[in-house]
Amino acid sequence: MTTTTTTAGEQAARDRDLVARYGSPLYVYDLDRVARARADLRAALPDGVTLYYSLKANPHPGLVRALREGPGGCRAEVCSTGELASALEAGHRAESILYSGPGKTAGELAVALAEGVRTFSVESAGDLRRLGAQAVRQGVVAQVLLRVNSAAAAATTSIRMTGTPSQFGIDAETLPGLLPALLDVPGTAVAGAHFFPLSNSKDEESLIAEFTATIEQAANLQSELGLPLRMLDIGGGFAAPYSVPGERPVYPNLRAALEKTLDTRLPRWREGGVEIACESGRHLVGDSGRLLTSVTNVKESRGRTFAILDAGINTLGGMAGLGRLLPLSVDPAFHRTGEPVPVSLAGPLCTPGDLLSRSVRMPPPEPGDVLAVPNTGAYGPTASLLLFLGRPAPVELLLSGGEVVSASRLVTTRTEVV
Ligand SMILES: *Cc1c(COP(=O)(O)O)cnc(C)c1O
């Protein structure tokens, strides 16, 4: 692993060189940083915990492979046949993959089972029956985690998914009535529970509170309702900065807190009597990525400076471009010198919605300038409006030891359906 420090000026020169070679806009993912994120998260979790990488954050097969390989490797959590294909391409064995999502169709379940996937998170009784029917047709048994929508939630977060009416999971309070039927669906065997109450937890305290509440609840479901619990997926919520400068958070107290709660409530976890799993997307890959984008035009309009970039919501739509502005900032290393002025950063699309930032303070930009948006390794191209207005997808580079080891771009084509 490289530990050399790079000055801002060196970084800027290197990034300009990459843009000259591979074009713009350009995503650059550093696999050494991915390895570091995985090692740090592993160290923050008790030994023996199964760690899933959620492909939703970035399904690039090279990145998925890097997360799989070596000691502390992650398994894959997928939500579609496309993500499944990426996981398989990255060398994951189908039997080790967790398939989840609220809208699994009979068709995709059939594909997943035929590929050899055997573990599914199910989000409703209907979802479970649909899975069972496909498993019976293929003469197999699917292991099932029941995704539970907690009755109450512990932490505060930016994205909340449970505790309220939700398309995700089975409402906890309905489980006493539902469970006997759920345990009796042909083609399926309930192996445990899946919780995913929050994303991007605001701090370690919230994360610990949420995990503690989840473990308590699972233990209660087991002891009070007889819910089978060979596996418990406690979800995630590990945070990462997104398109703004900043460091990936560390969780120095998490490991001890989890061990304490598990020892108290699910003591069999130490002998593997209940496999504990968790999931992470953004925390594992977010800080590995930078988006390099070029200024194609600069114009003044009624007192405001607009820099038109070659990257817009088609490139970095993320969870942000759709109706809300990114709190985006660009790396100061890329700014020319000069007194900072407020600049609106617009993308190339013919819609007023293609504004990445209404006002960034930077020295006056000029066409040809290369800007870097930090911390964009998660929820980049595949979370963007890639097809809107028909521009090519950005090239995505993988770096290892500072060298380019892969350069590729996604291509979509129309094919006739008969
Ligand atoms: C989105 C999602 C994840 C990944 O979320 P991050 O915030 O990127 O870690 C994991 N599990 C489930 C069920 C999800 O929906």
Side-chain angles (χ1 to χ4, degrees):
M1 201 172 290
T2 50
T3 49
T4 48
T5 46
T6 314
T7 67
E10 285 165 0
Q11 180 78 60
R14 195 176 297 174
D15 286 348
R16 272 196 301 273
D17 179 51
L18 289 176
V19 162
R21 274 163 65 199
Y22 296 98
S24 176
L26 184 66
Y27 272 94
V28 185
Y29 310 120
D30 185 341
L31 295 179
D32 298 338
R33 296 185 74 103
V34 173
R36 232 169 291 157
R38 187 182 73 181
D40 289 350
L41 184 54
R42 275 291 182 201
L45 293 169
D47 290 340
V49 166
T50 297
L51 179 59
Y52 284 100
Y53 171 56
S54 302
L55 268 73
K56 178 177 70 183
N58 189 332
H60 190 304
L63 219 121
V64 180
R65 179 178 291 277
L67 281 163
R68 176 183 68 77
E69 286 175 341
C74 302
R75 293 196 204 159
E77 187 253 325
V78 306
C79 299
S80 68
T81 49
E83 289 186 354
L84 174 59
S86 284
L88 295 172
E89 184 182 339
H92 281 285
R93 288 177 307 108
E95 318 85 77
S96 70
I97 292 172
L98 171 63
Y99 203 112
S100 65
K104 300 186 273 305
T105 64
E108 70 178 301
L109 288 168
V111 170
L113 287 165
E115 289 284 2
V117 178
R118 288 295 175 267
T119 311
F120 295 80
S121 164
V122 305
E123 310 236 9
S124 63
D127 197 22
L128 179 61
R129 281 193 298 270
R130 227 176 335 273
L131 172 63
Q134 293 305 320
V136 167
R137 284 176 74 155
Q138 298 191 22
V140 299
V141 176
Q143 303 298 312
V144 164
L145 302 181
L146 298 178
R147 180 157 173 191
V148 179
N149 178 21
S150 311
T156 47
T157 168
S158 53
I159 306 173
R160 166 146 305 290
M161 296 191 200
T162 108
T164 49
S166 169
Q167 74 265 48
F168 299 110
I170 301 166
D171 294 340
E173 63 278 17
T174 67
L175 269 174
L178 273 179
L179 192 60
L182 300 179
L183 293 178
D184 200 28
V185 176
T188 69
V190 174
H194 176 203
F195 291 76
F196 191 80
L198 85 162
S199 249
N200 210 15
S201 166
K202 80 173 168 43
D203 53 32
E204 184 178 35
E205 246 185 337
S206 324
L207 196 63
I208 290 174
E210 198 76 51
F211 282 144
T212 304
T214 291
I215 294 165
E216 299 272 345
Q217 205 179 151
N220 290 343
L221 289 172
Q222 182 185 37
S223 61
E224 290 165 18
L225 301 184
L227 177 76
L229 207 57
R230 280 188 283 115
M231 181 167 176
L232 171 62
D233 182 341
I234 60 176
F238 309 105
Y242 182 46
S243 78
V244 291
E247 300 292 317
R248 173 167 45 80
V250 290
Y251 300 115
N253 305 306
L254 179 61
R255 183 186 179 110
L258 276 176
E259 288 181 349
K260 180 159 166 261
T261 309
L262 288 167
D263 284 341
T264 314
R265 296 307 314 267
L266 296 170
R268 289 184 317 118
W269 82 280
R270 291 228 181 238
E271 305 89 64
V274 43
E275 177 183 1
I276 305 298
C278 60
E279 304 161 13
S280 176
R282 72 186 70 219
H283 186 79
L284 288 169
V285 297
D287 79 350
S288 77
R290 300 152 60 71
L291 169 63
L292 307 180
T293 170
S294 303
V295 176
T296 55
N297 192 25
V298 176
K299 60 168 276 192
E300 300 289 325
S301 171
R302 303 202 165 119
R304 196 191 294 186
T305 302
F306 283 83
I308 317 294
L309 309 178
D310 57 12
I313 54 177
N314 56 334
T315 313
L316 185 61
M319 298 305 170
L322 314 171
R324 77 196 155 99
L325 294 173
L326 284 173
L328 177 133
S329 58
V330 290
D331 196 318
F334 289 79
H335 298 175
R336 48 187 61 255
T337 49
E339 199 50 40
V341 295
V343 178
S344 295
L345 298 177
L349 305 187
C350 306
T351 163
D354 194 14
L355 204 55
L356 291 184
S357 182
R358 204 178 301 285
S359 183
V360 167
R361 288 193 70 78
M362 60 192 283
E366 290 192 15
D369 284 356
V370 173
L371 309 182
V373 187
N375 291 319
T376 49
Y379 303 109
T382 61
S384 301
L385 298 177
L386 259 185
L387 296 178
F388 193 36
L389 277 127
R391 287 175 173 261
V395 170
E396 296 172 89
L397 296 186
L398 298 181
L399 301 185
S400 179
E403 300 294 323
V404 176
V405 292
S406 161
S408 64
R409 70 153 37 103
L410 282 166
V411 176
T412 48
T413 52
R414 184 177 298 279
T415 50
E416 292 297 324
V417 176
V418 287

